[in-house]
Each structure stands twice: as C-alpha cells, then as structure tokens.
Amino acid sequence: MKVTVHRKAHFNAAHRLYNKDWSDYKNEAVVGKCNNPHFHGHNYELIVSVKGEIDPITGYVMDMKILKDLIKTEVEDAFDHKNLNLQVPEFKDLNPTAENIAVVIWNKLEAQLKDNLELTITLYETPRNFVTYNGKD
Amino acid sequence: MKVTVHRKAHFNAAHRLYNKDWSDYKNEAVVGKCNNPHFHGHNYELIVSVKGEIDPITGYVMDMKILKDLIKTEVEDAFDHKNLNLQVPEFKDLNPTAENIAVVIWNKLEAQLKDNLELTITLYETPRNFVTYNGKD
Amino acid sequence: MKVTVHRKAHFNAAHRLYNKDWSDYKNEAVVGKCNNPHFHGHNYELIVSVKGEIDPITGYVMDMKILKDLIKTEVEDAFDHKNLNLQVPEFKDLNPTAENIAVVIWNKLEAQLKDNLELTITLYETPRNFVTYNGKD
Amino acid sequence: MKVTVHRKAHFNAAHRLYNKDWSDYKNEAVVGKCNNPHFHGHNYELIVSVKGEIDPITGYVMDMKILKDLIKTEVEDAFDHKNLNLQVPEFKDLNPTAENIAVVIWNKLEAQLKDNLELTITLYETPRNFVTYNGKD
Amino acid sequence: MKVTVHRKAHFNAAHRLYNKDWSDYKNEAVVGKCNNPHFHGHNYELIVSVKGEIDPITGYVMDMKILKDLIKTEVEDAFDHKNLNLQVPEFKDLNPTAENIAVVIWNKLEAQLKDNLELTITLYETPRNFVTYNGKD
Amino acid sequence: MKVTVHRKAHFNAAHRLYNKDWSDYKNEAVVGKCNNPHFHGHNYELIVSVKGEIDPITGYVMDMKILKDLIKTEVEDAFDHKNLNLQVPEFKDLNPTAENIAVVIWNKLEAQLKDNLELTITLYETPRNFVTYNGKD
C-alpha cells in the first residue's frame, strides 16, 4: 500500500511565449498578449508529489527535508527571479508554457529520485491556470 | 506523454433539492434544509481539467483562451445568476445536486472537445463540499 | 492596549436585488442579472471581529465559544439555507445587498455584546466581492 | 459512471516524531526538530473523498450529513485537541507522521463505509505539506 | 454610517528593481536578485476598497459593475502582461516596487472616484508579500 | 503619505491553556478542551505589517529581506516546533492564548524596528480563529 506525499514550493519568473519559426504577425495571432516581446511574469506555485511505500522504521515515504532541499537545488535556484527564455538553458529552444515548464521540472526531479518512487508535478502559472504532469500516457 | 491543463471559473445560482415523487414530509426528512421551497444558493467554483498531448508547435495541450471561451458559453452564460430548478432546462426533471450539476457540465463540455482530450470536472458547492467527475467508471 | 479577535463563519442563501418602487425595466437596467426574479444565491463567508482589552485572568478578549454560539444563534440559524427576500424579516423592505446584510448582522450582534467591545463585520458575497462595516462614520 | 464527493474537516493536535528503538542522538539526527520531546502541534486539515454511483432517487453518491457525522465520530472526536502520541491508542506504537495518520483515518472510515464506495484520504499537516492515501498499491 | 466595498482583480507583469543612479555593484548589493537585468515577474493580486455611505435607493455604496469596469480600464488594460519598467509610463523614472505600484494605482483610481468616497489599495506581489495604501499619513 | 508592507510567516507549536491559580475543575469548565494537560497544537500563520514612508531612493518602506530575517530570528527560531508553555520563557507565567502570543510577538519585533515605523501583528491560530494587535488603545 502506497502513500503520496506532497510538498509546496514557489518561484517568480519572467517569460514570453513565441515560436521563433513564425512571423510576428502569426505569433501575435496565436499567442496573443503572452507574446509581449518585453516579457511578462508570474508567481509560479509548485506542488511536488511523490508516491511510495511508507518506511516502517521512520514512518516516512521520503524525508521531506531531503525533498525540500532537492526542490531548492533543482527548481528554485535554477528558475527563481530569472527570465526563463533568456537565462534558463532548457527553454533556449522550448516555449516556456506552463505545460513545458512542468515537464522540465519533472525530468529534473525524476533524475534525482529513487526508482521505486512515482513523481507528479502540479504547476500553477496563476491561481486560475495550472497543469499536472506525471510522466505517463 | 500527456499533460493535464486546468482552468478555474465560477458562477452563482439558486437551487432547491427535492424529489417530486415524494411527500413534503419525506423530502424534509431526507433532504433537510436543502429542501427549502423558497430556494437557497451557492457560489459554485469550477475547475475544468483537460488531458492530452502537448502540441510541439505551440507548447499547449489546448489554447486556454479557447477553453475559457467554451466555459463561458456552455457553463457561465447558462447557469450564472440563474435558478437552476426553474431556469436551466437540464434540471427540469433532475435534482440539481452537486453530483448531477457536475455530470451535466461534463456532458456539455465533452461534446465540444476533440476526441483525443480527456475531461474532468471538479465542482465546489461550498469551500467544504465538492465533487469530481471524469465520465469513467 | 486592545486586541481584536476574529472568528469566521458561513451561510448559504438565495436573494434577489430589486427596488419595488421601480419598473421592471429600470430594475433590469440598474441591477442587471442580480435582479433575476427567480433568485440566485451565494455562499456567504463572514468574519466577525471583536476588539477589547485582554482579560488578565483568562488571556482572552472574549471566549471564542461564546462568540461562536452567538454567531450561530443570531446569523446562521436566521440566514442559512434561506431565501433572504422571502424568509428573513429584516429584508422585507430592505434590498439584501452585501452592504445591507452586513449592517443587519452588525446590528444583531452589537445588541448582544458588552459595551466595552467594538464590533466589525466583514462579509464575502463571493471570493471576489466583499464588504466591511464597523458602525462608525 | 461514478462521481467522487469530497468533504473537508479539521482537527488540532500535538505530536512528536521519534523511534523508541533509537538513541536520542539518532532520533535527533534523523527526525530533527520534529523530535522535540515536549511536543509540537498542527492544525490538520482533512479531505475525505468517497467515490460511487449517483443514487438516481436522491441525486447523491452519499448523504453528506451522514459523511459529516461519520468524520465527527471517527476522526474529530478521537483526535481533536489531543496529544496523538499519548492519548490516541493507534499511535501508541506507531509514529504519528502525516503518512501514518492518513492510513489510520482511512482504516477507521473504510470500516464504516458500504463496500461499493471507494475512499481516499488527503491530510494537510501544514498548508505546505500534505499526504494522500487510497488503500491501493 | 459608512460601509467599505472591496473588489478583487489581478494582472501579470514583468519588472526589475534598480536605481539608475547607482553602480551595478550597488544595485546588486542593495536590491539583490530583484535587480536581474533580464527581468522577473509576478501575478499581482489587487483589492480595491471604496468606503462611503449606502445609497438608500439601490442599497449600494457604489455599483460594483462600474468599479469593475474602472479597474479594467485604469489597471488591467494598462499593466496586464506588460513589462512595467519598459512599457508603463508611470515607471519610466520610478522603481516598480510593490509600494510604488500601489501608489500609482491609487492615484489613477482616486482621480476617477467621486469626492465622498475613500479609496484603499491592497496589492499582493506574491502570496507572502503585500502592501496597503490609502493616501493618508 | 505612508504605505504599509506586509510579510507572511508561520510556525508550528504545542500549547495548553490553563490558569495555575484555578482548580482542575475550574480550568476544565472555563477553558474546555484547550486545557488538555497533554497539550494540543497549531500551525500558526503570522502576518507582520509595517507602516512608514516610502524611501525615495529604494522605493521601499523597509527592505523585506531585513524584515524576513527579523521574523526568523525573533519569532520562528524562538517558537517553531516548540512547546510554548514549557520551552518559551515569555509564557512561563502567561497563558499562551492567541491574544497573548500576538502581544509577545509585537513586543519582540517593535523593539527591533526604527521609531518611525508602526507595527501590526495578525496571528492565525487556525484558519477560522485569528487576532490582530497594533500596540494601541
């Protein structure tokens, strides 16, 4: 029997959505105001969920201090107060939509977790728009 | 690999719960104060969740502006500031419980979504009572 | 030196805004969709704030159990799952706007509080619209 | 087709995390500040989720008043304003981590629910740390 | 006797904090990561509060539709999805701190309100940092 | 013209309410379940509000990093994961009600702030009960 533990975190960043292979006109038409070439930004709220067996010795699925530190190293230090398009290498050729940011975060954290743990990422771009990704079909 | 995008919306409405085949006494006994014949009401908070592949061109599962407009047309314009029992045809013979409202909203939105997208409805009747429906068993 | 203690509560109700001295046309023009003759409704969230000296014996400004019971008797029992226009006497000739509901609640609770306590009412009609009233100019 | 109904509740409690088979030194090293022998505490926020078919007569998956009363009897009366380590029998030999508390609550409520209903427990230890348990692998 | 009505709104924007008369070194030392020359951003949540007498005819302090439209014209259209430093004239020579943004919003809305209404602005830069301004000492 | 800046923080603690000069019977009668001799606990959420002039050079009322560090040193390090009755000297002879905790926090922070700044403390004992204190009558 497995339990899922969830940890909240957050970071602030600027971004711009656009497709470099499109004309300015097409970007404006498809992306709308999120295409502002001077950037806009968000307070991203993140929920990292890890599912696994409870360790009978500690009563933990995973030590939350370790998870908290992992989120700090892999996500907060990399993204917080950054311009995602210009300063975060993963988005050099990838549109920093909420969907793509969630996938990038999942890939970074998954690489650091033990194989018997299942990871889900929930990312709020605003309090009204959010995405979920668990690496599955 | 699929991502789920979520969009929040809301509407206010009046409703009354009762079974027209029951006596007033039985309605009062089963439904309690929600059976008030003069109606009561709620601020319904809605989360519409759509799961699908990320479009590699746009970085979107679905354009959130299209989803926002769809929710406005199908849900907000139909339900907001209405009396669900008296003014919304779907509830003419269907008790407007949170469960049934969620199923009605799911059916309306599902009919408008592409076949490769999976829909889940979360509906808060109050901050303490809410329901989830995804059209599956 | 005075401390303010705050207690949250809630009730659900139906209402309709209109002025009985106006034509239907004028009500529709001024009040808009809140004028729906079949009513709509809200989850009202209430914060009752009481300011006073800390009792050095108990460490309380006021026993929160007493305040909780007072809110139940004066507000929840009177308003919850009611149609404010039809079933709450205070709104027989008074438009149940958030402003007027807050004043009515303040008057009911103020009458029950000791004279050395100062009362403020905060009433959320929706998570996006709320009012505050403290009986002062 | 099944719908899930969710009900929120809460309780406040003190607890201490430690392993009685470990030295003080090892408990301090592994558990950190949660090992404080004088206890610390939390406002636990609980979401009880019950999945089942909608009853076509009532429009309910389950009468929320019955679920509310069940949560009161099995969880609130047993845990609220208690010291989990010293006053709740289930934690006499079980570390009261959020994971273990969620499993204990699931076991208590599952025993009271009809067999055709599926139960999930979500327990917030703080607004930033929470766990989910549904009795499945 | 006066009531205060409150309306929530929001906008997303990029900004950068720096003093153009300082060296890069001093800006970095004083402002820290908020000085990122590539900008970062926030979801700004805004509460506009207006205090005044209840109109006995309508039961309103102020028609919330008018207030909502005013916030849209003066704040959302001007700031949403913008780079505050580069695209909003008020911040050409003014550091877009939360404090200064609140004062700018207050000045814009105050100019549009009737003289007998008192205005307070609450601006959340993040869920953990916010400011309040009412034009008084 | 002055602006108020607000910063949120939190700490978890155990406490017990009782008057050492009262009999067990009287404590039970007056304090009820909060008198549990084995303690219970809360997640305390804190809002520290500081009012002052905007510094025209920085655009700040007060550097939020300094305020954040001050809250950490004076409040979080002193109270977090502690038993307030047994491990926090200020409550050796003072009942740790929310009212008294707010006054203690105000006194600790006020002593560290410049004289031209005005301080208000808001302390949530639970999401439903909270207190405010500003050192004034």
Side-chain angles (χ1 to χ4, degrees), chain A residues 31-51:
Chain A
V31 182
K33 63 186 176 181
C34 293
N35 178 43
N36 178 355
H38 295 293
F39 306 102
H40 65 285
H42 298 289
N43 305 324
Y44 292 93
E45 299 284 329
L46 176 68
I47 303 174
V48 176
S49 305
V50 177
K51 187 177 182 180

Side-chain angles (χ1 to χ4, degrees), chain E residues 44-64:
Chain E
Y44 292 92
E45 299 285 328
L46 175 69
I47 303 174
V48 176
S49 305
V50 177
K51 187 176 182 180
E53 301 280 347
I54 300 178
D55 179 327
I57 307 298
T58 61
Y60 291 156
V61 166
M62 177 180 180
D63 186 332
M64 289 302 254

Side-chain angles (χ1 to χ4, degrees), chain F residues 3-117:
Chain F
V3 171
T4 307
V5 296
H6 311 262
R7 172 79 196 171
K8 288 194 185 176
H10 58 95
F11 57 93
N12 310 320
H15 78 156
R16 173 199 180 185
L17 302 185
Y18 75 110
N19 186 320
K20 64 182 178 178
D21 298 330
W22 289 351
S23 66
D24 286 356
Y25 178 81
K26 185 164 180 186
N27 267 304
E28 178 67 22
V30 173
V31 181
K33 62 187 177 181
C34 293
N35 178 42
N36 178 355
H38 296 292
F39 305 103
H40 64 286
H42 298 289
N43 304 324
Y44 292 93
E45 300 283 329
L46 176 69
I47 302 174
V48 176
S49 305
V50 176
K51 187 176 182 180
E53 301 280 348
I54 300 178
D55 180 328
I57 307 298
T58 60
Y60 291 156
V61 166
M62 177 180 180
D63 186 332
M64 288 301 254
K65 289 194 302 295
I66 293 175
L67 183 57
K68 186 183 175 185
D69 290 346
L70 193 60
I71 297 170
K72 182 173 188 310
T73 308
E74 296 293 327
V75 182
E76 292 174 1
D77 290 352
F79 294 178
D80 190 36
H81 281 77
K82 295 285 169 62
N83 183 308
L84 298 179
N85 302 74
L86 302 182
Q87 299 181 292
V88 178
E90 284 87 350
F91 301 109
K92 198 185 161 208
D93 295 310
L94 183 69
N95 221 355
T97 58
E99 289 92 327
N100 281 334
I101 301 172
V103 171
V104 165
I105 291 173
W106 191 90
N107 287 336
K108 293 187 77 168
L109 292 177
E110 174 71 9
Q112 306 292 330
L113 287 181
K114 293 181 184 169
D115 284 351
N116 58 343
L117 297 173

Side-chain angles (χ1 to χ4, degrees), chain E residues 8-28:
Chain E
K8 289 194 183 174
H10 57 95
F11 58 93
N12 310 319
H15 78 157
R16 172 198 181 186
L17 302 185
Y18 74 111
N19 186 319
K20 64 181 179 179
D21 298 330
W22 289 351
S23 67
D24 286 356
Y25 178 81
K26 184 164 180 185
N27 267 304
E28 177 67 24

Side-chain angles (χ1 to χ4, degrees), chain A residues 17 19 22 30-31 95 97 99-100 103 124 127-133 135-137, chain B residues 1-8 47 51 53-54 57-65:
Chain A
L17 302 185
N19 185 319
W22 290 352
V30 174
V31 182
N95 222 354
T97 58
E99 290 92 327
N100 282 333
V103 171
Y124 283 76
R128 287 154 289 276
N129 286 337
F130 60 107
V131 303
T132 317
Y133 180 65
K136 294 180 189 160
D137 196 31
Chain B
M1 290 186 311
K2 291 181 170 175
V3 171
T4 307
V5 296
H6 310 261
R7 174 79 196 170
K8 287 194 185 175
I47 303 174
K51 186 177 183 180
E53 302 279 347
I54 300 178
I57 307 298
T58 59
Y60 291 156
V61 166
M62 178 179 180
D63 186 332
M64 288 301 253
K65 288 192 304 294

